[in-house]
Amino acid sequence: MQDLTQSVDNVYQKSKVFRFYLHLKTQPEADKELNKYSKLLIEENAIQFELQCEIFEKMEVKEPRKRSLYFSSSLQGTILMISTYPQQSPIDEIKKQILTEFCNPFTV
């Protein structure tokens, strides 16, 4: 859980880096040189998604693949909002919500 909250803090502290990261993921064809790195990011994200599915399976949540998709979507949205609007993002509340929503198997 601490890694998750540290990740949110990291996005907040390095918002420009994460805006670039999102650009690589969402517009891989925008730059031919960066395209190869974008493909690597997409491949790594696919691996991470499968690991998340396994984690949700171990947590015995209902429909772990859907839960993993929801989790990934929530994190990507959080990264987008924090990196775009860092000063308007209530970081502590966001971290609490993510932990409550996804790290407590009884909330599913």
Side-chain angles (χ1 to χ4, degrees):
M1 286 193 238
Q2 186 177 9
D3 289 343
L4 183 60
T5 59
Q6 287 174 339
S7 296
V8 172
D9 288 336
N10 194 27
V11 172
Y12 178 75
Q13 293 163 1
K14 299 174 182 171
S15 59
K16 290 181 182 180
V17 171
F18 281 90
R19 278 197 305 270
F20 179 70
Y21 165 76
L22 289 171
H23 174 75
L24 283 177
K25 285 183 62 177
T26 58
Q27 299 180 11
E29 67 285 339
D31 185 312
K32 290 182 182 182
E33 182 62 31
L34 294 177
N35 190 16
K36 59 186 170 190
Y37 300 108
S38 180
K39 288 180 182 179
L40 290 172
L41 277 173
I42 291 168
E43 291 170 6
E44 287 300 316
N45 282 336
I47 293 168
Q48 181 172 338
F49 177 77
E50 294 303 324
L51 291 172
Q52 284 173 193
C53 289
E54 290 176 21
I55 291 169
F56 284 119
E57 283 176 19
K58 289 177 183 174
M59 291 173 69
E60 299 180 354
V61 300
K62 208 170 159 182
E63 302 185 75
R65 292 191 74 75
K66 287 182 183 177
R67 190 72 174 162
S68 184
L69 179 60
Y70 177 46
F71 176 68
S72 294
S73 299
S74 296
L75 283 181
Q76 291 302 315
T78 298
I79 290 170
L80 173 64
M81 295 307 292
I82 292 173
S83 64
T84 305
Y85 308 106
Q87 300 310 316
Q88 291 85 17
S89 299
I91 300 302
D92 290 334
E93 289 87 351
I94 291 169
K95 291 187 292 190
K96 183 179 177 184
Q97 179 65 37
I98 291 170
L99 291 173
T100 300
E101 180 81 19
F102 297 105
C103 295
N104 184 353
F106 302 108
T107 62
V108 202

